[in-house]
Amino acid sequence: MPADEAAFEKSLNAMTKKEAIAAAMDLYRKCAAYETARIKNSRAEERFLEDYQKMKTELSEAREKIRSLEKQNLHLSGVQVIQSKSLFGRSSEKTGDILNGSFDDIPTDPVSEDAEEGIPSGSDDGGHGGNRKPNPQKPASGSRGKKKPGKRKRDLSGLPSSEVYEYDIDELNRTFGEGNWWFAFWHKHEQVEVIKQTTYLKVTYTPAISVGLEHDLISIPYDGALIPKSLASSSLVSEIMTDKYALYLPTYRQEHAMERFGIPLSRQTMTNWVNRLCRDLLKPAYGYLCETLKTASHQQCDETPYMVVNDGLAAGHKGYGWIHRTSELLEGPEIIIYSYENSRAADHLRNFYGGLSCHISITCDAYSGYTAFENDSPEEITLGGCFMHARRRFVVA
């Protein structure tokens, strides 16, 4: 028997019955307190284990989410939206195109710009080229010429690039054995990635303020609306205008495209937005650009016909789009103005250039309307002919 048990037994034998009962009750209360504490500790330990397992699961999920986000970020960091090239590029009119054309289609005066009708339907250069003949020096359609080395690299040199190294360490270790392999070199693979636009509903809250002891309610105004109480935003309207006027996408097609993005926007609403914002926001800028353009010493001007559905005249009326722009002889930002008129009359030139404060030179074609305008204002206007139109006469001769 251990010494402490023997001592305890000896102390019990020395006690009276009453003292033994008191000692036993004291021991019982201590045992009960110890049992209560043990139960509490056991429950706390169970809660701790539950919290630990929960935290372990959340940590595992967080790590997996971080890996997924890192992979997504790595992908998105190397891809940017590719901007489309301008549709209004330089149109080429080569001497060979004129020589290869049918001379029967060339007007009596190849420089004349006064004729409004009779443009050959098969011509794609304003009626001066006629029907094209095959170029013997150009490969036939469908045949592929030999590519020059480095052409792809030059073609894609303007794009931003992202380098992605793709490998799986765990899979390589399982396949070849850990420590039994190494990277010798890398194979290069190239693809062009495109990320389409993101469309979302932007919800902006502005506060109503309770002021003073009287609790007067004052609403803070919202200045971010292009059109009050409408869904129009600057990005949405600019997208509509770009599709309509730069990509020539009719509003009914834009309406179907909006539906695919989950936007219930009718073509009539889009048209109303464009008309209203052009009048309220763009017209002052248009007027400023017109006045600034008239101070440029060298300018270029041209006009082209197109059919108009409804401009207050008969349906299918042929209107004219006039273009005025600064010359390449001038430094600084270019100014390009488009102006619609119902006719080709020189009255547009007189109205547009009215109130000139300096002498200007205008490069244009041989349309007689420009000559009439110059004769009316010889002190303010000097015309410069287009070399392309002059060259036609030499080619025909």
Side-chain angles (χ1 to χ4, degrees):
M1 178 181 296
D4 52 351
E5 291 184 8
F8 180 70
E9 183 180 1
K10 184 177 181 180
S11 62
L12 288 176
N13 294 328
M15 292 180 183
T16 62
K17 182 178 180 180
K18 186 175 181 180
E19 291 174 345
I21 291 174
M25 292 300 298
D26 183 56
L27 291 175
Y28 175 78
R29 285 192 291 270
K30 289 181 179 180
C31 288
Y34 290 152
E35 181 64 18
T36 301
R38 186 190 67 80
I39 293 174
K40 290 183 179 180
N41 292 335
S42 177
R43 293 176 179 175
E45 184 179 0
E46 291 176 357
R47 288 194 297 270
F48 173 78
L49 290 175
E50 291 177 357
D51 294 341
Y52 173 75
Q53 292 296 334
K54 184 178 179 181
M55 292 174 61
K56 186 177 180 181
T57 302
E58 291 177 352
L59 178 61
S60 177
E61 293 176 351
R63 287 176 175 174
E64 184 64 28
K65 186 175 182 180
I66 290 174
R67 282 194 293 268
S68 176
L69 292 175
E70 287 177 347
K71 183 177 180 181
Q72 183 179 4
N73 182 58
L74 183 63
H75 171 69
L76 295 178
S77 63
V79 183
Q80 296 182 2
V81 177
I82 301 176
Q83 299 180 350
S84 60
K85 295 182 179 179
S86 174
L87 295 178
F88 300 100
R90 180 179 64 87
S91 58
S92 175
E93 187 180 50
K94 300 180 181 179
T95 306
D97 296 335
I98 302 177
L99 292 175
N100 290 333
S102 172
F103 286 95
D104 295 336
D105 294 331
I106 299 179
T108 303
D109 184 357
V111 187
S112 175
E113 292 292 335
D114 293 323
E116 297 185 5
E117 305 294 340
I119 297 177
S121 59
S123 173
D124 61 353
D125 60 355
H128 302 289
N131 297 324
R132 301 286 180 86
K133 293 182 179 180
N135 188 345
Q137 298 178 353
K138 185 176 180 181
S141 176
S143 62
R144 299 184 61 183
K146 185 177 181 180
K147 292 184 178 180
K148 296 181 179 180
K151 182 178 183 303
R152 172 183 288 184
K153 184 176 181 180
R154 291 192 299 271
D155 292 343
L156 302 179
S157 60
L159 292 179
S161 62
S162 173
E163 294 183 350
V164 179
Y165 293 86
E166 185 174 324
Y167 57 90
D168 190 336
I169 294 292
D170 297 333
E171 181 64 26
L172 292 174
N173 288 334
R174 284 193 298 268
T175 304
F176 304 106
E178 187 173 354
N180 194 40
W181 60 272
W182 57 91
F183 295 115
F185 56 89
W186 299 86
H187 293 286
K188 186 178 180 180
H189 313 275
E190 292 182 341
Q191 297 90 28
V192 175
E193 297 283 353
V194 179
I195 298 179
K196 293 297 183 181
Q197 64 182 1
T198 300
T199 304
Y200 64 95
L201 179 64
K202 179 181 178 181
V203 181
T204 303
Y205 295 92
T206 56
I209 307 300
S210 178
V211 180
L213 298 177
E214 293 80 7
H215 299 289
D216 296 330
L217 293 178
I218 300 177
S219 297
I220 304 300
Y222 176 56
D223 299 328
L226 286 177
I227 301 176
K229 298 181 180 180
S230 78
L231 295 175
S233 66
S234 57
S235 60
L236 179 58
V237 175
S238 62
E239 182 77 11
I240 295 172
M241 290 186 175
T242 301
D243 287 346
K244 180 175 177 60
Y245 297 108
L247 303 181
Y248 309 106
L249 190 65
T251 50
Y252 79 90
R253 293 185 179 177
Q254 294 191 53
E255 180 181 12
H256 298 326
M258 293 292 180
E259 290 177 357
R260 291 195 295 270
F261 281 99
I263 306 175
L265 192 60
S266 68
R267 67 194 75 173
Q268 185 61 49
T269 299
M270 288 187 278
T271 302
N272 292 338
W273 285 357
V274 171
N275 292 341
R276 176 172 179 175
L277 294 176
C278 285
R279 179 196 64 200
D280 296 344
L281 300 181
L282 299 185
K283 190 174 182 179
Y286 176 83
Y288 173 78
L289 289 176
C290 290
E291 294 300 320
T292 305
L293 178 69
K294 292 195 295 186
T295 63
S297 59
H298 293 78
Q299 303 182 25
Q300 298 173 353
C301 185
D302 200 1
E303 78 292 331
T304 185
Y306 59 90
M307 304 304 293
V308 183
V309 176
N310 182 12
D311 61 356
L313 301 177
H317 170 71
K318 182 169 66 174
Y320 280 85
W322 293 75
I323 180 172
H324 305 271
R325 61 161 299 162
T326 53
S327 171
E328 71 274 9
L329 299 176
L330 299 177
E331 297 181 354
E334 298 178 341
I335 298 178
I336 303 175
I337 300 295
Y338 292 91
S339 179
Y340 169 76
E341 296 290 345
N342 288 327
S343 70
R344 200 187 185 193
D347 292 338
H348 165 73
L349 296 171
R350 299 185 182 95
N351 296 331
F352 185 86
Y353 288 106
L356 285 175
S357 59
C358 62
H359 185 89
I360 63 174
S361 298
I362 302 177
T363 302
C364 57
D365 55 29
Y367 169 46
S368 59
Y370 297 108
T371 305
F373 174 53
E374 182 185 30
N375 294 334
D376 292 343
S377 308
E379 300 297 328
E380 292 86 9
I381 303 297
T382 298
L383 296 184
C386 173
F387 285 166
M388 184 60 65
H389 293 78
R391 187 176 70 172
R392 293 174 185 164
R393 179 170 289 171
F394 286 100
V395 170
V396 172

